[in-house]
Amino acid sequence: MPILAANWKMYKTIGEAKAWLDAVAGAPGLGQAEVIVFPPLTALAALRPKATRIALGAQDVGWADAGAFTGMVSAPQLRDAGCGFALVAHSERRRYACEDDPAAARKIAALWGAGLTPVYCVGEDAAERASGQGEARLKQQLDTVLDALSGELGGRLLIAYEPLWAIGSGRPATPGEASQAAELIRERVRLCCGQAAAHEVGVLYGGSTSPATVRGFMDEPQIDGLLVGSASLDPRSFLAMLEVMVDA
Ligand code: PGA
């Protein structure tokens, strides 16, 4: 089943989140794709009772299960709030919250420990891309984390390729570029964790996706789904993306 994930970032009040879910909840395409929404934490409780065919996720997670960590929310707490997923090391967390690869590895382990699925975000920035260092950056982000996890998957893992130059820029990667990155991701997983793990890992593309670009990405066999930011906020464009995805 293809995966369509909505990252709302720091958008939507509780009322707006409920209205979005009301608009999306009856869509026939829901049964044919795995749909995951990453709302702000404040909206989780309101969405939970109605999110029957939509999975809920958090945009970040603490690496410890409990303790004196002001401002953090742990994986068991997220599970308690109805989350099945969490984003890890989204580029905006890397940029604004100094998140690094070792912290990402701890967060992934914490999520697996609580039975949640991490969506680990990787991607190079414009300067790395321009200087031909894009692949090296991806390898570093992947290898540091996979090595720290002792080369073993402790649960389901999704990896999102989200090049920084594409996020929020209106200029997505081409399906070919995204597919090449997805291939590299699977290759690193294979080298660190074995063939079965490389087969099982789900690879998403994210960065300025829109209804017009869904089909191109989903035509690439290496890409299992999309992580959508701004185009997910309006239920109409999100539903348009879902329609194309389940049709593809
Ligand atoms: P975008 O964001 O679709 O608005 O580019 C994607 C993301 O940051 O996950």
Side-chain angles (χ1 to χ4, degrees), residues 7 9 87 90-92 121 162 166-170 206-210 227-232:
N7 174 14
K9 309 190 179 188
L87 300 179
H90 185 279
S91 62
E92 285 146 20
C121 302
E162 294 214 314
I167 294 177
S169 68
S208 293
T209 51
S210 64
L227 177 55
V228 187
S230 55
S232 74

Side-chain angles (χ1 to χ4, degrees), residues 7-238:
N7 174 14
W8 288 354
K9 309 190 179 188
M10 202 169 69
Y11 291 106
K12 291 197 191 292
T13 61
I14 293 172
E16 289 164 348
K18 279 185 178 167
W20 186 97
L21 195 62
D22 285 341
V24 166
L30 284 182
Q32 298 163 57
E34 184 173 17
V35 175
I36 312 162
V37 179
F38 296 88
L41 290 178
T42 47
L44 275 177
L47 294 181
R48 187 178 188 178
K50 290 184 176 176
T52 46
R53 295 194 295 161
I54 290 175
L56 295 175
Q59 298 172 17
D60 184 34
V61 62
W63 58 73
D65 282 354
F69 299 103
T70 302
M72 290 193 194
V73 176
S74 74
Q77 287 171 325
L78 292 178
R79 185 186 54 206
D80 190 36
C83 289
F85 297 80
L87 300 179
V88 173
H90 185 279
S91 62
E92 285 146 20
R93 300 290 313 164
R94 291 181 189 265
R95 178 166 178 202
Y96 300 119
C98 302
E99 192 132 320
D100 58 13
D101 297 334
R106 294 176 72 184
K107 291 180 176 199
I108 290 171
L111 287 165
W112 281 338
L116 273 70
T117 298
V119 182
Y120 177 46
C121 302
V122 298
E124 79 285 3
D125 66 22
E128 288 159 347
R129 181 185 194 221
S131 63
Q133 294 302 302
E135 275 201 6
R137 179 74 182 118
L138 284 186
K139 281 182 189 162
Q140 180 198 11
Q141 290 171 334
L142 292 160
D143 293 359
T144 311
V145 163
L146 295 169
D147 287 348
L149 295 167
S150 319
E152 258 184 60
L153 299 194
R156 186 179 177 204
L157 177 64
L158 301 180
I159 300 181
Y161 171 59
E162 294 214 314
L164 274 70
W165 46 268
I167 294 177
S169 68
R171 206 163 41 89
T174 65
E177 287 169 330
S179 174
Q180 218 177 328
E183 231 169 273
L184 181 143
I185 288 170
R186 278 189 214 286
E187 175 65 2
R188 299 326 284 181
V189 174
R190 188 183 67 76
L191 290 172
C192 290
C193 310
Q195 186 64 47
H199 184 70
E200 279 160 27
V201 76
V203 181
L204 311 182
Y205 167 74
S208 293
T209 51
S210 64
T213 56
V214 174
R215 191 174 300 271
F217 290 114
M218 297 315 296
D219 279 347
E220 296 291 339
Q222 294 284 343
I223 297 175
D224 300 303
L226 300 175
L227 177 55
V228 187
S230 55
S232 74
L233 293 172
D234 183 334
R236 283 165 304 187
S237 71
F238 187 74

